[in-house]
Amino acid sequence: MLGKTHIAVGAATALTLLGTNDVSTITLGTTLAAVGATLADVDTKESKAAKGLANTALIILVALVVAPVFKTIPSDLLNKSTLLSSINLNPIAIAMAVGYGIIGVTSDHRGFTHTIEGTLLISLAMVLIIPRLAPWFIIGYITHPIIDLLNYKPVRLTMFSKKRFALKLCHAGGPVDKVIRILAIVWTVIMLGFRIA
């Protein structure tokens, strides 16, 4: 599936499963669902997710170096959103996320980042880093390998087996991919209207 299809399906699924009417939560949550929905493709060189991960890793590294100098993240930055105020820069969680990224960018496409183990590693890291918003990210992420199973190119589901699976129902960028994307966008708009109204 194309990245924009992953984003649409991830956002639509998270909005459907996570009931809230809080605009701030919906905005940040839907954004995180979209990020989660595309992150599994860090294993593709031309992927925007891979480029975004590299930029995010650089920002995190700078923050980890600079934060001790100031002893804390500026409180006025975090106080603007109670959701963001729960960010926890736990070194173990950061190491897990960085480890996921390193393994991901060095793995073959639809390998580690699409497996149960890859999903668990990045999900646990997100639960530790952004506990209140992690479910949005995780739901978006989980939709990625599920809809990739519809393609002809097989997906590796676990690192404990070399076997790969594909339902062979569509091609990335093909008509079924487009229909799924359009339906997901329409459903996202409906859910946004329902949640915010």
Side-chain angles (χ1 to χ4, degrees):
M1 298 294 178
L2 297 178
K4 49 191 168 186
T5 304
H6 284 297
I7 289 169
V9 171
T13 305
L15 280 166
T16 302
L17 297 177
L18 298 170
T20 183
N21 295 336
D22 178 62
V23 176
S24 172
T25 302
I26 290 170
T27 304
L28 290 169
T30 305
T31 301
L32 280 169
V35 170
T38 59
L39 189 62
D41 277 342
V42 298
D43 59 9
T44 306
K45 303 290 182 269
E46 62 275 357
S47 166
K48 290 178 183 165
K51 293 172 186 155
L53 181 67
N55 292 336
T56 302
L58 181 62
I59 291 166
I60 290 170
L61 287 173
V62 169
L64 290 174
V65 170
V66 172
V69 173
F70 294 103
K71 302 282 188 224
T72 183
I73 295 172
S75 60
D76 62 322
L77 207 87
L78 295 177
N79 287 336
K80 294 191 182 197
S81 170
T82 56
L83 291 168
L84 290 178
S85 66
S86 66
I87 291 175
N88 178 11
L89 294 178
N90 177 319
I92 294 171
I94 299 295
M96 291 167 65
V98 170
Y100 166 90
I102 291 168
I103 296 168
V105 298
T106 58
S107 297
D108 60 322
H109 186 47
R110 296 199 177 152
F112 174 76
T113 60
H114 289 63
T115 65
I116 293 167
E117 296 84 5
T119 302
L120 290 173
L121 179 62
I122 195 62
S123 295
L124 181 57
M126 293 300 106
V127 166
L128 294 172
I129 295 168
I130 49 169
R132 293 180 61 194
L133 291 167
W136 292 84
F137 173 90
I138 294 166
I139 289 169
Y141 192 95
I142 289 170
T143 64
H144 188 108
I146 291 172
I147 66 170
D148 269 356
L149 285 170
L150 301 175
N151 283 310
Y152 277 80
K153 185 171 180 170
V155 176
R156 187 171 180 183
L157 298 179
T158 178
M159 296 304 290
F160 296 107
S161 172
K162 292 187 185 217
K163 188 168 172 122
R164 293 174 178 252
F165 301 89
L167 297 175
K168 299 181 181 181
L169 299 175
C170 65
H171 294 282
V176 174
D177 183 349
K178 290 176 185 167
V179 168
I180 291 170
R181 180 173 56 252
I182 291 167
L183 290 173
I185 291 168
V186 168
W187 186 251
T188 298
V189 171
I190 291 168
M191 289 306 298
L192 283 171
F194 176 73
R195 297 284 184 215
I196 296 172

